[in-house]
Amino acid sequence: MTTLFVSDLHLDPERPRITSLFVDFLRDEARRADALYILGDLFEAWVGDDDPSETGATVAAETRALADAGVPVFFMRGNRDFLLGDAYARRAGMTLLPDPSVILLYDRPTLLMHGDLLCTDDTAYQQFRAQVRDPRWQAQFLSQPLPARLAFAQQARAASQAHQSGLKDQGTMETITDVAAATVEDTLHRFGIDTLIHGHTHRPAIHELDVDGRACRRIVLGDWYEQGSVLRVDGDGARLEGLPLA
């Protein structure tokens, strides 16, 4: 049996083929898995569990069916869907995980993160993250009417695109938006674990590194913009592979 990891699907009504690819994945390969872990940014945007989108309804029905079939589904919030709450998780049959989380993966302690906490060189983003993860900010935001929240999401997306465009113009996009090596090493040192799995950066790879004289691995999940990306882990090892569109 295999445990599956995905992240950064950024599901959006404007990209229905990716939603269909994910649904096919849930109905086929995921049904034979030990568990499915979704490490954030399942949706392009999430403004509250009363989000009326058809995409959200479809995903909830499919992950609930997977869980009902006996495959546990775990979800960690990302920077796009940090407002996904208990109500939607129950509807979708998903167990919410804190970021970071430690799991036992085939007798091997493994650290899971969305990944944005590792991008400490992007100070502007870290300041924004601290603001929107504040429970008081979230309570105030969720008390607003749905149209106002949807408008905010559009504005936030435009601001994010402008921020990234500015980094590109400065020639710092590749370094600022990737993880900081010192933060990765500090995180692995702090947890005393030699395997880290995360998403967020859209740079799929398996990195070998040395931390405190320990051989460690950082596995980065890919995004689902042009194709799927799945990490398959079993007792024999880990394989990070693409999932092509039909």
Side-chain angles (χ1 to χ4, degrees):
M1 296 288 280
T2 303
T3 298
L4 304 173
F5 296 84
V6 299
S7 73
D8 301 284
L9 291 91
H10 294 269
L11 299 181
D12 188 311
E14 297 179 3
R15 297 165 55 243
R17 293 182 67 202
I18 294 297
T19 301
S20 295
L21 179 64
F22 184 52
V23 168
D24 290 343
F25 168 75
L26 293 174
R27 292 179 178 178
D28 184 17
E29 180 179 0
R31 290 293 179 105
R32 303 185 296 274
D34 284 327
L36 170 65
Y37 288 83
I38 304 170
L39 300 187
D41 286 2
L42 175 58
F43 299 105
E44 178 68 14
W46 193 259
V47 297
D49 289 354
D50 57 345
D51 187 302
S53 75
E54 182 178 340
T55 302
T58 297
V59 169
E62 296 296 337
T63 54
R64 164 59 71 180
L66 181 62
D68 288 346
V71 181
V73 181
F74 299 93
F75 178 80
M76 180 179 287
R77 300 175 180 93
N79 56 292
R80 297 282 186 162
D81 45 24
F82 59 88
L83 288 170
L84 193 149
D86 293 335
Y88 185 82
R90 286 192 299 270
R91 176 181 163 200
M94 302 190 301
T95 299
L96 293 176
L97 295 177
D99 184 3
S101 286
V102 176
I103 65 169
L104 197 60
L105 187 60
Y106 303 107
D107 298 322
R108 189 186 191 103
T110 301
L111 179 63
L112 307 181
M113 303 180 72
H114 172 57
D116 56 341
L117 282 170
L118 301 170
C119 301
T120 50
D121 289 338
D122 192 346
T123 55
Y125 169 72
Q126 294 299 333
Q127 291 170 357
F128 173 77
R129 187 188 192 281
Q131 175 191 7
V132 299
R133 296 301 182 103
D134 187 312
R136 293 169 297 181
W137 184 94
Q138 293 187 4
Q140 190 277 331
F141 179 79
L142 291 172
S143 70
Q144 297 181 39
L146 180 60
R149 285 179 273 141
L150 291 170
F152 175 86
Q154 285 292 106
Q155 293 169 0
R157 184 184 303 185
S160 175
Q161 292 171 346
H163 176 56
Q164 293 187 17
S165 177
L167 293 176
K168 288 179 181 178
D169 291 343
Q170 298 167 20
T172 57
M173 176 71 173
E174 290 301 312
T175 54
I176 293 295
T177 60
D178 201 356
V179 301
T183 304
V184 170
E185 292 186 13
D186 177 69
T187 301
L188 289 169
H189 169 79
R190 180 159 44 94
F191 282 90
I193 291 176
D194 59 18
T195 301
L196 165 63
I197 301 173
H198 72 84
H200 180 66
T201 63
H202 302 188
R203 295 172 170 90
I206 299 180
H207 302 272
E208 307 289 341
L209 57 158
D210 180 280
V211 178
D212 303 328
R214 293 182 292 117
C216 296
R217 286 189 309 169
R218 178 171 68 92
I219 304 176
V220 188
L221 307 175
D223 64 73
W224 285 53
Y225 278 115
E226 302 298 331
Q227 63 173 2
S229 179
V230 182
L231 174 67
R232 302 175 172 99
V233 181
D234 58 25
D236 295 326
R239 302 172 305 283
L240 182 61
E241 298 168 329
L243 193 67
L245 284 165

